[in-house]
Amino acid sequence: MMAVKLLPPADDAYNYPLLIKQLLLSAERYAGDNEIVGGNNGKRYSYAEFVERVHRLANVLTEAGVKEGDTVAVLDWDTPRYLECFFAVPMIGAVLHTVNVRLAPEQIVYTMNHAHDDLVLVHDDFLPLIAKVQDELTTVKGYIQLTDAEQAPQAPMTTIGDYETLLAAALPEFDFPDFDENAIATTFYTTGTTGNPKGVFFTHRQLVLHTLALASTTSMNDNMQLLQASSVYMPITPMFHVHAWGVPYVATMMGLKQVYPGRYEPASLVRLFATEKVTFSHCVPTILQMVLSSEKAKAIDFSGWQVLIGGSALTEGLASAALERGIQVYTGYGMSETCPLLSTTWLPQNAAELSHDEQVRLRVKTGKPVPLVNMRIIDENGRFLPHDGEAMGEVVVRTPWLTQGYLNEPQKSNELWENGWMHTGDVGSIEPSYTLQIRDRIKDVVKTGGEWVSSLDIENLISQHPAVELAAVVGLPDDEWGERPHAVITLQAGAEVDYDGIVAHMQQFIAEGHIEKWAVPDTVKIVDEIPRTSVGKIDKKRIRSELAGD
Amino acid sequence: MMAVKLLPPADDAYNYPLLIKQLLLSAERYAGDNEIVGGNNGKRYSYAEFVERVHRLANVLTEAGVKEGDTVAVLDWDTPRYLECFFAVPMIGAVLHTVNVRLAPEQIVYTMNHAHDDLVLVHDDFLPLIAKVQDELTTVKGYIQLTDAEQAPQAPMTTIGDYETLLAAALPEFDFPDFDENAIATTFYTTGTTGNPKGVFFTHRQLVLHTLALASTTSMNDNMQLLQASSVYMPITPMFHVHAWGVPYVATMMGLKQVYPGRYEPASLVRLFATEKVTFSHCVPTILQMVLSSEKAKAIDFSGWQVLIGGSALTEGLASAALERGIQVYTGYGMSETCPLLSTTWLPQNAAELSHDEQVRLRVKTGKPVPLVNMRIIDENGRFLPHDGEAMGEVVVRTPWLTQGYLNEPQKSNELWENGWMHTGDVGSIEPSYTLQIRDRIKDVVKTGGEWVSSLDIENLISQHPAVELAAVVGLPDDEWGERPHAVITLQAGAEVDYDGIVAHMQQFIAEGHIEKWAVPDTVKIVDEIPRTSVGKIDKKRIRSELAGD
C-alpha cells in the first residue's frame, strides 16, 4: 500500500456503504407503469407493490427470528417472490442461500448443512423432499411454505405458515439498517464432476458493483441494446444459479418490466415470450434449443428477442438457427465464482453490413471483458502471454466481484486464488481486438513439447471427417514430449476410416496453418460409444484412464 | 453497525480497490478506431496512443519529483493532455488540482496555496500570470509548460520543460500501483458570492462509482441515448469545473470518440461539432445560447446533437429554441459538492407523441435521481416532506460520491453535512413520479406563517405582467408571520403599474391554484435597476438590506 492522501472527514455520513438496498432506490422512480409478472400464478405487481412486499417480507423474516448474519435458504422456481427474497434477505443483514433444487437429495442436505441455513422457504414441489430429510438438517429452525395455489395445501411437516398469508399479516414498512458493505449477501453451491459441491459467496459491495458494471454495458452498444427502459426481461437461467446471472438486480434497479416464468417448460416459455412481449432473456444453449424446437415455437415470430447465451459454448449451428428465427443471440462468459459476468459478445459498429456467417462467427465468441474486468492469459509459469489470437493460456482475472474463496474450504480457496489472480481453469486466447476465445479446460488441454494443444480444437477438426460421428481427444503422458494427444472416435453408421485416414484429413489443416503438426494425435481408437458423465459431458477422466490401461 | 457475516478471506487478492486506473481497462478494448481529438492543435490520438501517453506522463511526473499524496495543479483549456492528467495524476497516487483559470489572480493564488500544489502544469496563456505571482506560491516546486504551438515559446520563468518534449523523452511504460480506494484523486474550488473559494475533493472510489452510475443511465432510456458506442463526445463545460461533470471518465471507459475543444469560441465549437460529427455535449445555458446565436451556427443542421444542460436553470425559451434547431436538450442537476450528477431529465416511453410544448416542459425539469442517489426534501425541523409536487423543502442527498467536506474548513463542512445528509442549499419539490423541481435557494425562499414561498415562483408570475421588465422577491422579517415577501421591479419602457395592479394580476394565479394568497408580496417597489452581483446574478442580499433600511 502506498502512502496516499487521506483526510479525516468532517462527519462520516459521507461514507455511504454499497448495499443492495440502494439498488431499490431508483426502481420505483424509473418504473412508471411497469409490472413484475409471475408466470407461476399469473400475479402482476406494480413496483410500488413489489417494494412494499420486500418491506413486509423483512418483517416476516425478523418475526420468524432471523437475525443479522443468519442464513435464509430458498427452494423455489423463478418467481416474483424469489426476487423479493433477493432483496429482503440481504437487506436485513442475513445471507440468502439460493438452493440448487436440481441436485440430488443428499447433495441438497449437504449444502443446507454446510451453509448453516437457519430458515428455509420451500415451494410445495420440494416439501415432500424436505419433510423426508428434515431430521438431517442440523441447523434449520423453521420453514415457510411457498405455494402457487390460492389456498396453501396442507404441508407434510410443521411450518411457520405460508408466504402470502404471512406477508398479508406483516407491517408494510421496515427500516432497513446500514452496515458494512463487505457483509455477505448471498451464497450458493457450484457442482464439479467429483466431490461435494463448493459454496461461493458474494458481498453487498460485490453485487452492487456487478449490477452497475452490467447496467453500464447492456445498452451502450448501439447494435446490442440488451436492457433499456422499454425492455421486458424474462430470465431462463434459474434464480438459484448465480442469481440468474445477476440480471434481476439490474432489471430492478432500472425499473424494467420483468417476467418470472416459474418452471421452465418450453410451451409456457414461448407463451410468456409472446403474451408479455419479452425482449431480453438469458439461458444455456440447451434451453434455447429446446424452445426453438418446441411445437409451440413453430408459429411464433421471435424477431426482437435478444438472448444472451452462457454456461456452455454456443455452437455456430445453434447461433445460425436462432438468427434465422429473428433472435439476436450473444455469448456471455463467466462462472459461479465470478458473480458471473466477465465478458460478452461485442458487435462492431458496422455489424449490420456483415453477412450471416460473419454474424454467427462474431456471436459465438466469448467477447470482450466488461468494464473494470482485468483479464489476462498466463502460461504454466504464470507469465503473461501476448494478445495475438494464437497464444493459449489459462484465463486469470481480477475484478471487484469475484468470490473470496469457497465457503469453509481454505485449501480449494488457495488454489482458486494464486499470485493475486483468480484462476478460471479455462484456457483461452485473446485477439488483438481484446476478444476472448475460450479454447479448452486447463485439465483437458494437451501439453506437448512445451506447447499447449486445445483438445476441443482437435476434436472439432477430426469431427469434420465425413466418417466421424463424434471425437474426444485427451493427453497421455509421454517420456519425450511430456504429453501427447490421443483420440477416440465413433463412426457414422456404415462409414469407415483408419488412423492414416484421420492423419491425411488433418494434413489440410496443417497446410492451412490452423494447427501445428504436433497437434495430430498419436493414436486414434474407434469405439462404439464415448464415455459421458452423469450430466452428459464427455468423461475425459475415464477416457484417459481407459486409454492408459490399454 | 450491525453484526453481519464477514468471513476471513483465503487471500486478500479478492479485495480489489476501486481505482481510476480500472476505468482505463476497457477503454482500448471498446475503442476500435475511435480517436481522441484536440481542437486546440488538431492532433488526433488513437486510444493505444492515449494510454501510452498516460504511462509516459506518469514517468514525467515521478521524474519531476511527484510522490504519492502530492498535489499536481493544471491550468489549461480543454485538451487531450488535460484528459491524460485526469488519469495519470491520480493513478500515481497524487491529487489532481484542476485550477479554475477564470478566477481573479489573487483567488488563483489562494486556491493553489490552500491546496498545497507541488507541481504546476500551465498553458502558455496563463504563464504571464503565474510568472507574476510565483513568489506568492508558497508550496510549488516546479512548473511544466503546456503549449499548443509546434515549438514551445520561451517561458517567462524557469520550468522543467514543455509537456510534449518531456513526454517524448519518457519511458512508455509505468507500473501503476494499487492503493487505498479512499485516497483523494481530485480537488477543485467552488466559488460563492462571498468569502474565499472552498475546496471540494473526491476519492478514487467516488469517481469510479460516479462513472459507473453515469454510464448505467446515459443510454438506458430509449428516448435519450446520450452516450453509446457510436457517440462522439465534446465537453463544453470546462474540465476544471467538476471534471467536466465527470463525463470524460465515462467516455474514456467506454472507448468513445472524444473531441476536446480548447478555448470556448462559438465559431470553433460550431466548426468542431460539424466536422467531427459530435453527438453529445454538456454546458451551461449561456454557452448554448451563445452557440445558437453565433453567425456560424446559422447554416448548420444541429439535428442529432444531444445537449445536457446544467449549472443554472434551462429556461423554456432556450429549450424551445434548441428543440426547434433539432437539438435534443435535457437538464441535469448537481453541484461541485456532488461530483456532480444527482438527477437528469427523464423522458417517458411515449415521448415521441408529446407536443412541442409538453417536450419543453419535461426537459426543463431537473428530472429523476440517478441510481444509488437517495434524495429527500426536508422542512426546517429536518422532517421528510411528501412527494406530492406541492411541498417545498431543502433538497438533501446521500450517495456514494459526495465530497466529505470542504478542504481544511471543518466548520463549513459541518454545515454541509447535518444528520447524515448532505444539504444542497436548494429548495425543491418532488412529484409523485419522483421528478425533482428546483424552486429556489434556501437562503432566498420566503418563510411566512410556517409556509415556504419560492421567491423564484413569485418573480416569474410578477414578470408575466405586461408592464414588468424584471422582478426580484425577497423575504423581510415580520413580527406576526416570521417573514413576508417584498418585491422590487423594473418596468418596460414607457409602461406603468402600481401595487394594486400587481396584486390584481396575482389574483388570477391564486384563483387558478398556482399560489396561495399569502404569497402575494406586501410591498412592490419600482426601481431603475435591480442590483446584481459581480457574476451577474440578482443580488438578493443587497436588496434585502436596502429594503430593510427604507
Side-chain angles (χ1 to χ4, degrees), chain A residues 134-172:
Chain A
Q134 67 173 312
D135 289 346
E136 298 169 51
L137 296 173
T138 54
T139 60
V140 176
K141 301 174 192 76
Y143 299 90
I144 290 175
Q145 186 179 1
L146 308 174
T147 186
D148 296 331
E150 272 304 311
Q151 194 73 37
Q154 178 67 42
M157 55 195 286
T158 308
T159 71
I160 294 165
D162 89 280
Y163 188 91
E164 290 300 332
T165 308
L166 292 167
L167 245 64
L171 288 172

Side-chain angles (χ1 to χ4, degrees), chain A residues 1-11 13-18 22-23 25-26 28-30 34 68-71 92-93 95 115-116 177-184 201 205-206 208-209 212-213 215-217 219-222 225 227-231 253-254 256 346 349 368-375 398-400 402-405 407-408 410 413-414 417-421 433-434, chain B residues 1-11 13-18 22-23 25-26 28-30 34 68-71 92-93 95 115-116 177-184 201 205-206 208-209 212-213 215-217 219-222 225 227-231 253-254 256 346 349 368-375 398-400 402-405 407-408 410 413-414 417-421 433-434:
Chain A
M1 283 293 173
M2 292 165 53
V4 284
K5 195 170 271 189
L6 293 163
L7 283 195
D11 179 314
Y14 82 91
N15 190 5
Y16 197 31
L18 299 176
Q22 291 176 30
L23 302 178
L25 286 168
S26 52
E28 270 185 277
R29 298 194 299 233
Y30 287 136
N34 288 341
E68 317 85 67
D70 281 357
T71 299
I92 64 170
V95 179
H116 289 270
D178 280 0
F179 45 78
D180 190 325
E181 67 186 22
N182 294 309
I184 300 175
F201 51 100
R205 169 188 166 102
Q206 293 183 310
V208 170
L209 290 170
L212 288 174
S216 69
T217 49
S219 53
M220 68 170 273
N221 186 318
D222 311 59
Q225 302 280 296
L227 291 175
Q228 296 230 285
S230 65
S231 296
M253 181 183 84
M254 294 167 71
L256 306 187
W346 185 256
Q349 288 186 33
K368 299 198 188 196
V370 302
L372 270 58
V373 171
N374 198 351
M375 179 185 285
R398 285 190 76 190
T399 196
L402 306 175
T403 188
Q404 298 169 30
L407 208 58
N408 306 324
S413 300
N414 284 336
W417 281 98
E418 274 186 286
N419 301 317
W421 294 82
S433 69
Y434 298 90
Chain B
M1 283 291 172
M2 292 164 54
V4 283
K5 195 171 272 190
L6 292 163
L7 282 196
D11 179 314
Y14 81 91
N15 190 5
Y16 197 31
L18 299 176
Q22 292 176 30
L23 302 178
L25 286 168
S26 52
E28 271 185 277
R29 298 194 298 233
Y30 289 136
N34 288 341
E68 318 85 69
D70 282 357
T71 299
I92 65 171
V95 178
H116 289 270
D178 280 0
F179 45 78
D180 190 325
E181 67 185 23
N182 294 310
I184 299 175
F201 52 100
R205 169 188 165 102
Q206 293 183 310
V208 170
L209 290 171
L212 288 174
S216 69
T217 49
S219 53
M220 69 169 272
N221 186 319
D222 311 60
Q225 302 280 296
L227 291 174
Q228 296 230 284
S230 65
S231 296
M253 181 183 84
M254 293 167 71
L256 305 187
W346 185 256
Q349 288 186 33
K368 300 197 188 196
V370 302
L372 269 59
V373 171
N374 197 353
M375 180 185 284
R398 287 189 76 190
T399 196
L402 306 174
T403 187
Q404 297 169 30
L407 209 58
N408 306 322
S413 300
N414 283 336
W417 281 99
E418 273 186 287
N419 301 318
W421 294 83
S433 69
Y434 297 90

Side-chain angles (χ1 to χ4, degrees), chain A residues 262-277:
Chain A
R263 295 191 62 158
Y264 294 167
E265 284 149 359
S268 115
L269 292 172
V270 170
R271 178 183 57 78
L272 286 170
F273 162 80
T275 57
E276 301 296 340
K277 302 185 170 48

Side-chain angles (χ1 to χ4, degrees), chain A residues 126 213 292 294-295 352 355 380 416 423 438 443 538:
Chain A
F126 312 110
L292 281 181
S294 74
E295 188 58 33
S355 71
E380 284 172 295
L416 184 67
H423 290 243
I438 295 297
K443 62 180 168 39
I538 291 179

Side-chain angles (χ1 to χ4, degrees), chain B residues 174-410:
Chain B
F174 188 93
D175 187 17
F176 291 102
D178 280 0
F179 45 78
D180 190 325
E181 67 185 23
N182 294 310
I184 299 175
T186 62
T187 188
F188 54 87
Y189 285 75
T190 171
T191 51
T193 39
T194 56
N196 281 320
K198 290 171 291 189
V200 297
F201 52 100
F202 297 95
T203 66
H204 282 256
R205 169 188 165 102
Q206 293 183 310
L207 286 166
V208 170
L209 290 171
H210 184 265
T211 303
L212 288 174
L214 201 48
S216 69
T217 49
T218 45
S219 53
M220 69 169 272
N221 186 319
D222 311 60
N223 293 314
M224 35 190 298
Q225 302 280 296
L226 304 188
L227 291 174
Q228 296 230 284
S230 65
S231 296
V232 180
Y233 165 59
M234 179 170 76
I236 326 183
T237 314
M239 296 177 83
F240 63 71
H241 182 65
V242 213
H243 335 99
W245 300 356
V247 184
Y249 285 119
V250 182
T252 306
M253 181 183 84
M254 293 167 71
L256 305 187
K257 177 176 173 184
Q258 302 183 56
V259 182
Y260 287 88
R263 294 191 63 157
Y264 294 166
E265 285 149 359
S268 116
L269 292 173
V270 170
R271 179 183 55 78
L272 286 170
F273 162 80
T275 57
E276 301 296 341
K277 303 184 170 47
V278 171
T279 64
F280 177 70
S281 293
H282 47 75
C283 62
V284 294
T286 320
I287 292 269
L288 180 61
Q289 184 69 64
M290 249 171 57
V291 166
L292 281 181
S293 58
S294 74
E295 188 57 32
K296 185 138 185 137
K298 288 184 180 140
I300 298 284
D301 173 12
F302 284 110
S303 58
W305 197 16
Q306 323 250 342
V307 180
L308 184 69
I309 298 290
S312 55
L314 173 63
T315 63
E316 294 195 358
L318 181 56
S320 176
L323 281 175
E324 274 161 15
R325 295 296 302 272
I327 299 174
Q328 299 294 318
V329 281
Y330 313 102
T331 300
Y333 171 63
M335 52 194 70
S336 297
E337 289 83 347
T338 64
C339 203
L341 190 70
L342 293 176
S343 72
T344 62
T345 297
W346 185 256
L347 297 183
Q349 288 186 33
N350 68 342
E353 300 157 24
L354 301 178
S355 71
H356 176 85
D357 287 355
E358 287 168 321
Q359 291 271 358
V360 166
R361 279 196 296 276
L362 254 175
R363 288 163 193 264
V364 300
K365 287 185 183 168
T366 32
K368 300 197 188 196
V370 302
L372 269 59
V373 171
N374 197 353
M375 180 185 284
R376 305 295 292 264
I377 46 175
I378 58 169
D379 69 14
E380 284 173 293
N381 300 312
R383 281 177 303 224
F384 293 131
L385 293 168
H387 297 177
D388 58 9
E390 301 282 336
M392 269 194 293
E394 184 178 11
V395 179
V396 295
V397 287
R398 287 189 76 190
T399 196
W401 50 84
L402 306 174
T403 187
Q404 297 169 30
Y406 296 113
L407 209 58
N408 306 322
E409 305 261 20

Side-chain angles (χ1 to χ4, degrees), chain A residues 354-380:
Chain A
L354 300 179
S355 71
H356 177 84
D357 287 355
E358 287 168 321
Q359 291 270 359
V360 167
R361 279 195 296 274
L362 255 174
R363 289 163 193 263
V364 300
K365 286 184 183 167
T366 33
K368 299 198 188 196
V370 302
L372 270 58
V373 171
N374 198 351
M375 179 185 285
R376 305 295 292 264
I377 47 175
I378 58 170
D379 68 14
E380 284 172 295

Side-chain angles (χ1 to χ4, degrees), chain B residues 90-102:
Chain B
M91 281 166 65
I92 65 171
V95 178
L96 173 69
H97 174 196
T98 56
V99 179
N100 182 344
V101 296
R102 298 278 188 202

